[in-house]
Amino acid sequence: MSKLEQILILDPPADLKFKGPFTDVVTTNLKLKNPSDRKVCFKVKTTAPRRYCVRPNSGVIDPGATVIISVMLQPFDYDPNEKSKHKFMVQTIFAPSTVSDMDSLWKDAKPDDLMDSKLRCVFELPSENDKMNDVEATKAAPVMNSAKSDSSASTVPLAASLDDSEMKKVMEKCKRLQAEMNKMVEENRQLKDEGTRMRKVPRSDHMTSNSTSLLGREASTASLPSLLVVIAAIFIGFFLGKFIL
């Protein structure tokens, strides 16, 4: 009885390619597709088990289903002059109605029931075009970030222009406050002059009382412009910070 032909469809069908540099783990994928209407058991073997990690390395594929096998090549010192002799074999068998022990299934399988496909491992170093693409991608990243920053910055003048009317209102309020402050300063100066004249007049109980009252008014009035200055500064800083930031 002739050996059965492989029922699974392999992708890639013949070569497993690993692209360096090989200073780190290099992973390539192998697709196993079951086009039949029966379950198929599979097992992946290699001639260099210490150099590769295969996940999953065995299992069952349902009818019409596909399984992706990750083949991970461990880091090693690559010699371009040395040809790879590593090979893989995908061994398969139609699954019985019930699969309870996979190890016993493979151990008891008849050679005529087994199907297999062999793949060769190919090591490749990055081409000059690949290196140039990596360099260009690295250079393009700062340019893209700069473009994003410029677009963000360009929105600031637009927002400022939309708030010109509000800024005018704020400036008008500031001008009114400044005018009121100037008026209070002038009144305060007049009160000081009046207090100076009152001190030159001979004192009496009545004058002393009036002078005390006058000085109290002078002190309270003198503190008023300072309070207005503080309020005006807070008001101006709040609005300017709102529209500029």
Side-chain angles (χ1 to χ4, degrees), residues 19-205:
K19 182 173 291 187
F22 302 100
T23 55
D24 201 354
V25 176
V26 180
T27 302
T28 189
N29 292 328
L30 172 65
K31 290 183 180 181
L32 305 180
K33 182 178 181 180
N34 180 11
S36 70
D37 56 356
R38 298 175 59 182
K39 290 185 177 181
V40 176
C41 299
F42 73 91
K43 182 165 55 174
V44 182
K45 298 180 179 180
T46 178
T47 58
R50 294 183 178 181
R51 299 286 294 276
Y52 298 91
C53 182
V54 182
R55 293 289 183 273
N57 60 359
S58 63
V60 180
I61 306 178
D62 293 330
T66 300
V67 173
I68 298 178
I69 310 296
S70 295
V71 183
M72 291 162 277
L73 173 63
Q74 303 305 304
F76 71 102
D77 294 330
Y78 175 67
D79 184 0
N81 298 322
E82 182 181 353
K83 292 185 179 180
S84 172
K85 298 180 180 179
H86 302 166
K87 293 181 181 180
F88 275 82
M89 182 174 70
V90 180
Q91 199 170 42
T92 57
I93 187 174
F94 285 110
S97 56
T98 57
V99 182
S100 56
D101 188 353
M102 294 293 292
D103 292 336
S104 297
L105 174 67
W106 290 107
K107 184 178 180 180
D108 299 336
K110 298 178 180 180
D112 293 337
D113 295 335
L114 295 175
M115 300 168 280
D116 61 63
S117 298
K118 295 179 181 179
L119 300 98
R120 186 170 60 99
C121 295
V122 179
F123 299 154
E124 297 178 349
L125 284 176
S127 63
E128 291 300 324
N129 290 335
D130 293 337
K131 292 180 180 179
M132 290 298 295
N133 291 336
D134 292 341
V135 172
E136 291 177 358
T138 304
K139 291 181 178 179
V143 174
M144 293 297 294
N145 293 336
S146 177
K148 290 181 180 179
S149 300
D150 292 343
S151 62
S152 299
S154 64
T155 60
V156 175
L158 178 60
S161 63
L162 293 176
D163 296 331
D164 284 345
S165 59
E166 297 293 334
M167 285 295 294
K168 290 180 180 179
K169 293 181 180 179
V170 173
M171 295 305 295
E172 290 176 358
K173 290 181 180 179
C174 292
K175 289 180 180 180
R176 286 198 297 270
L177 283 174
Q178 185 65 37
E180 292 179 2
M181 288 170 58
N182 292 337
K183 183 178 179 181
M184 295 301 299
V185 170
E186 180 63 23
E187 291 180 355
N188 185 50
R189 187 185 62 80
Q190 293 177 0
L191 287 172
K192 286 183 178 180
D193 292 342
E194 183 178 351
T196 302
R197 290 195 301 270
M198 293 298 294
R199 292 190 191 96
K200 295 178 180 180
V201 177
R203 294 184 179 179
S204 64
D205 294 340

